[in-house]
Amino acid sequence: MPELSVKFAQSGNVTSSVTNDENEARDFEKFLGRPRTMNTDVRQKSLDERSLSEFTHVISSQEDRPENNLCAGCQSVIDTPSINITPGTHAVLESPLVGEAWDALKRSLVYLRGKPVGTIAALDNSEEKCNYDQVFVRDFVPSALAFLMNGEPEIVRNFLLKTLRLQSGEKKIDKFKLAEGVMPASFKVHHDPVRNHETLIADFGESAIGRVAPVDSGFWWIILLRAYTRSTGDTSLADLPDCQKGMRLILSLCLSEGFDTFPTLLCADGCCMIDRRMGVYGYPLEIQALFFMALRCAKLLLKEDNEGKEFIEKIVKRLRALSYHMRSYYWMDFKQLNDIYRYKTEEYSHTAVNKFNVMPDSLPEWVFDFMPNRGGYFIGNVGPAKMDIRWFCLGNCIAILSSLATAEQSTAIMDLIEARWKELVGEMPLKVCYPAIESHDWRIITGCDPKNTRWSYHNGGSWPVLLWLLTAACLKAGRRQMAKNAIELAEARLSKDNWPEYYDGKAGRFVGKQARKCQTWSIAGYLVAKMMVEDPTHLGMIALEEEKEMKPVMRRSASWTL
Ligand code: GLC
């Protein structure tokens, strides 16, 4: 690759964000000192009582207030229970778009015997329903966060308890019995007209494309239980013996000992948000980041009783090994890329540098253009002789939120998103992964999947739901303005296009070929992003500070020193 050094030089896109960050960090100190009061009126109103005036939001007169900026790693925000801003302290604006989104979110509610238990995936009657008429565990997360932020925890509590009941039922695919701890991908309400009775029917992967059990569902369930506990201050739900058992069952699925030589979790393709064959198997970042976050949440929620203690000990050991493994082997930046480019292969001993025997020739051409001089990211997958160097949105954002990424790595991830804004955010936040796989690779990796053609759906498509994750990650890393820019882009199109599930094309300009309209997590994701950027104390629900004992002994890396 003779023109390599030229490419490196060209890809350098150094931004001035360090100065901004420093300002934001300083400014944030003031924010921490400010007393806040709870608006209990808003919190206590039920869903049905909500009027448009409650959809009011603080406008950008806050913008000029330095105290509304966040810094990276601000323990106090993450430790402060989220609260509604007291009316009167800020100028308030009624946003029609926010009101429209709340109305749509309300319409998506699914009831079981009169109680709301979740939200339907999409309310689109123009397309074949497939399974979009079900409540998906992962899809419900942004809905749940929106309700929690709005002071309406009941639906979240109902959802957590109902899914727990589904977990405890027997699950079979063909004649094979699934493990006890598996959480469903989705469920729907079945109405028996004869008995006039409603029951829940769950799908654990037996009717999903590819018949894969959703590894992410259990992790999201634990993460949501912690968000609920954090937001309400009510520990009684997590303390219930059933909830404690539910957590232990999920954990025993992923903490059991076996043939593993890595602390990462071995998974089948299609077991997460990307639920079709996309080469996301083995040790995909998308699962490892959620695994890490769920372990950290479970550690906070598990009781140290006879049964819990053993799990807590296992969690502590696993977290340490997992963070070391991920931070060392999944991290990619200019320096790391250059090191891999010069790797020797066939190293057998303990002193091997190229531990997984990755062939430098397997590095794809695009990464040399993509990698900025400043910035970095966790790559998609690492295994024997394997590095999937694609950038994945969810994994990188969850890495920031869970503090799997160190503060320096979080900054570097943000620097990279900023430097590659056109590619990753484009006209609609945000690419699920980058870049798309094409031609021969597409044939081999997706099995010629016509829904996952290049720059569409899971294959480099843009998913508005990811906006909430980006916003949360930006706030944690002290990049509030970046989040606001992304929200603005979404606001320009989302409602006009009727809240599509995903967008197609290199810049995310086109409504996805098979995208459902009125997709609930696009709606809820927008609301969560909006509420969080306006009241960053909400971040505490979904972000965790770095634990001292996990502070890394890390190599210095180009993205942190430039
Ligand atoms: C698609 C998505 C999946 C989502 C489901 C319901 O299958 O790939 O992530 O949960 O739709 O919206």
Side-chain angles (χ1 to χ4, degrees):
M1 267 181 262
E3 75 284 26
L4 187 69
S5 53
V6 179
K7 282 183 178 172
F8 278 151
Q10 283 170 344
S11 65
N13 189 354
V14 180
T15 64
S16 62
S17 51
V18 162
T19 340
N20 290 340
D21 284 351
E22 281 166 1
N23 288 338
E24 289 194 350
R26 265 197 307 275
D27 294 340
F28 183 65
E29 300 300 321
K30 298 178 201 163
F31 176 69
L32 295 179
R34 196 171 50 133
R36 285 152 298 186
T37 40
M38 172 96 97
N39 176 6
T40 44
D41 285 356
V42 177
R43 294 210 130 222
Q44 279 159 12
K45 284 200 179 167
S46 81
L47 254 172
D48 299 329
E49 285 173 295
R50 188 189 300 111
S51 66
L52 258 189
S53 62
E54 288 177 36
F55 303 136
T56 53
H57 279 259
V58 181
I59 53 160
S60 50
S61 65
Q62 288 184 71
E63 249 350 60
D64 306 322
R65 295 172 179 238
E67 67 267 32
N68 286 303
N69 289 321
L70 278 175
C71 70
C74 282
Q75 177 80 45
S76 320
V77 152
I78 292 169
D79 286 346
T80 308
S82 56
I83 46 173
N84 292 306
I85 294 168
T86 311
T89 49
H90 299 272
V92 171
L93 175 75
E94 204 170 273
S95 150
L97 193 57
V98 168
E100 180 196 314
W102 269 115
D103 284 345
L105 185 60
K106 239 170 94 173
R107 279 196 300 274
S108 76
L109 281 170
V110 170
Y111 292 84
L112 175 75
R113 294 170 223 140
K115 275 187 176 176
V117 288
T119 48
I120 196 169
L123 256 180
D124 186 349
N125 293 323
S126 64
E127 296 271 343
E128 204 189 323
K129 287 209 167 43
C130 300
N131 51 0
Y132 285 89
D133 59 348
Q134 306 207 7
V135 178
F136 278 74
V137 171
R138 71 175 74 86
D139 292 40
F140 182 67
V141 173
S143 299
L145 295 177
F147 289 123
L148 288 174
M149 287 174 188
N150 205 44
E152 296 171 277
E154 264 323 294
I155 178 176
V156 183
R157 189 186 168 90
N158 295 342
F159 169 88
L160 287 165
L161 288 170
K162 290 298 167 207
T163 39
L164 192 62
R165 288 296 294 275
L166 294 171
Q167 182 202 36
S168 63
E170 186 178 273
K171 354 171 187 335
K172 264 189 178 167
I173 296 191
D174 292 337
K175 290 184 188 327
F176 186 68
K177 192 164 161 264
L178 267 71
E180 242 188 305
V182 180
M183 277 283 180
S186 60
F187 64 82
K188 62 182 171 192
V189 178
H190 172 70
H191 180 75
D192 179 346
V194 180
R195 289 167 57 215
N196 194 21
H197 187 66
E198 284 179 342
T199 44
L200 291 185
I201 302 180
D203 173 21
F204 292 89
E206 69 268 33
S207 38
I209 298 238
R211 302 293 186 266
V212 175
V215 177
D216 64 342
S217 285
F219 296 154
W220 278 125
W221 188 87
I222 295 176
I223 293 166
L224 193 54
L225 181 60
R226 189 252 165 192
Y228 170 90
T229 309
R230 184 68 177 64
S231 148
T232 57
D234 166 22
T235 52
S236 67
L237 179 66
D239 284 349
L240 288 176
D242 282 353
C243 279
Q244 292 284 316
K245 183 172 172 213
M247 271 188 281
R248 289 197 304 268
L249 286 175
I250 297 168
L251 292 170
S252 49
L253 284 177
C254 38
L255 293 177
S256 58
E257 287 165 2
F259 289 102
D260 304 303
T261 48
F262 308 142
T264 35
L265 200 63
L266 186 61
C267 329
D269 216 339
C271 66
C272 60
M273 172 188 178
I274 298 175
D275 56 1
R276 299 164 83 95
R277 188 174 153 195
M278 268 297 295
V280 185
Y281 64 94
Y283 306 93
L285 171 70
E286 299 294 83
I287 288 293
Q288 314 311 325
L290 284 173
F291 179 32
F292 183 87
M293 179 115 168
L295 287 180
R296 288 207 59 195
C297 291
K299 187 168 161 248
L300 293 169
L301 299 171
L302 278 175
K303 287 193 191 167
E304 276 200 66
D305 52 18
N306 282 345
E307 288 153 308
K309 224 169 147 193
E310 180 199 334
F311 280 91
I312 295 175
E313 280 162 17
K314 280 190 182 170
I315 289 175
V316 170
K317 284 190 190 141
R318 192 63 169 257
L319 279 173
R320 213 170 286 151
L322 189 57
S323 61
Y324 175 80
H325 185 91
M326 300 294 297
R327 288 167 181 179
S328 311
Y329 307 125
Y330 282 64
W331 185 249
M332 189 63 68
D333 56 18
F334 179 83
K335 181 182 180 306
Q336 185 72 6
L337 182 60
N338 210 160
D339 288 350
I340 297 172
Y341 174 65
R342 292 163 50 82
Y343 262 174
K344 290 191 186 62
T345 56
E346 311 298 326
E347 296 174 291
Y348 283 92
S349 73
H350 285 284
T351 52
V353 177
N354 182 4
K355 290 193 178 145
F356 305 108
N357 201 31
V358 172
M359 310 295 158
D361 275 355
S362 69
L363 288 173
E365 272 290 308
W366 62 264
V367 74
F368 298 106
D369 291 324
F370 180 70
M371 184 61 77
N373 283 348
R374 179 195 177 82
Y377 64 106
F378 287 101
I379 61 173
N381 215 320
V382 174
K386 172 174 177 165
M387 270 193 181
D388 179 349
I389 222 124
R390 278 177 292 173
W391 176 90
F392 285 84
C393 176
L394 184 141
N396 275 286
C397 290
I398 294 285
I400 293 177
L401 293 173
S402 63
S403 290
L404 169 60
T406 62
E408 293 86 350
Q409 286 173 329
S410 300
T411 302
I413 294 170
M414 284 297 147
D415 285 345
L416 181 126
I417 297 177
E418 203 167 21
R420 294 291 168 253
W421 187 262
K422 206 173 101 217
E423 289 84 351
L424 303 178
V425 180
E427 295 193 21
M428 177 53 69
L430 192 69
K431 287 271 187 322
V432 66
C433 65
Y434 181 91
I437 38 182
E438 311 187 27
S439 318
H440 186 61
D441 285 346
W442 167 77
R443 264 178 234 117
I444 304 290
I445 294 170
T446 72
C448 299
D449 187 348
K451 197 165 177 184
N452 271 333
T453 49
R454 62 182 181 167
W455 307 113
S456 181
Y457 201 45
H458 300 138
N459 188 8
S462 301
W463 291 67
V465 61
L466 297 171
L467 182 63
W468 82 262
L469 276 168
L470 176 71
T471 302
C474 283
L475 291 174
K476 183 151 185 282
R479 304 291 181 93
R480 185 166 181 254
Q481 190 53 47
M482 240 170 98
K484 293 181 86 175
N485 294 345
I487 292 173
E488 233 170 71
L489 282 170
E491 281 176 332
R493 294 278 311 261
L494 270 186
S495 156
K496 242 189 279 169
D497 295 336
N498 202 8
W499 309 94
E501 179 188 16
Y502 65 97
Y503 284 76
D504 285 354
K506 264 191 175 172
R509 280 180 72 202
F510 301 94
V511 175
K513 216 183 278 174
Q514 294 187 45
R516 295 297 186 284
K517 299 290 180 61
C518 244
Q519 178 82 20
T520 304
W521 68 357
S522 300
I523 297 162
Y526 166 67
L527 282 173
V528 171
K530 196 81 180 156
M531 284 190 274
M532 234 173 349
V533 87
E534 284 169 1
D535 179 2
T537 58
H538 290 309
L539 185 62
M541 269 186 226
I542 202 71
L544 296 160
E545 261 317 314
E546 189 168 8
E547 282 186 349
K548 280 198 190 71
E549 66 259 36
M550 273 187 314
K551 285 232 176 351
V553 192
M554 279 294 295
R555 301 177 313 277
R556 287 181 77 75
S557 193
S559 54
W560 315 344
T561 50
L562 278 172

